[in-house]
Amino acid sequence: MHPRGVIVTRPEPGLSETMAAVADTGWLPLASPALVVQRHTLRLPQKLPAAILLTSGQAVSAAVVAAQQAKALDIPVYAVGDRTAQRARDAGFTHVKSADGDARALVALLQTHQQPECGSLLLCSGAGQGVELAAWCRQAGFKVVRRVVYAAKPIQHINAQTCTAIQAAKVAVVLFFSAESAAGWLAALPEAEQKQLAAQASAVVISGRVAGVLRAAGWQNIRVADHVSAAAVMDALGTYPA
């Protein structure tokens, strides 16, 4: 019988909803987040920014707490994707737009809806992230202030449940959502389990960059999502074969 196990390497927020989506399609989800996320505190400046930029759902909590403290939940928010935009709305922001794409799409959205003379943009990002987006925004004429609101570090050890499932050949697919997290997750996986997974399981990945990491690690069966989104990853996974 075809193994039903699907390892989800996405951390929260996002892990729970992806686990539920995997289960809804008939697969058996196995949680094995590739990252440990540390939150940082954010305070909005006294002169509020003209808008807040969010490139990840990880940045929403810090941004909304800061906006609540400043009584500024009506500040315009621009999110790189639909899921991050929805998290921002659910958290309390009232004016949220989604680029439904990547960083370039976010810059294009800003150019359509935001005027540089209206004030600076606050980019909430992870450590080591958002630098390229900030540069593109500045090239488009915007003033950008970048603040690190979280740090995502690779896990050091894969949980026992995941290793046991791999050893028992119960894993059919592994879902990867970034090149960095894929590299970190593979580095934490014992060598024997790495070789077994690469030989027996498929990988469903969010981008070609992630696929490159896996090919370098010896994976052959890789499916790349049609575009960079968690929904596209689920589409690429498909339903459990009858």
Side-chain angles (χ1 to χ4, degrees), residues 187-214:
L189 190 65
E191 185 176 358
E193 281 75 11
Q194 270 204 55
K195 290 180 178 178
Q196 186 173 351
L197 263 188
Q200 297 177 358
S202 301
V204 175
V205 304
I206 201 167
S207 71
R209 281 190 64 217
V210 186
V213 170
L214 295 178

Side-chain angles (χ1 to χ4, degrees), residues 11-14 35 37 39 55-62 84 87 149-150 152:
E12 297 286 9
L35 302 171
V37 179
R39 312 284 176 194
T55 60
S56 167
Q58 300 287 357
V60 171
S61 59
T84 299
R87 288 193 184 101
V149 297
Y150 69 93

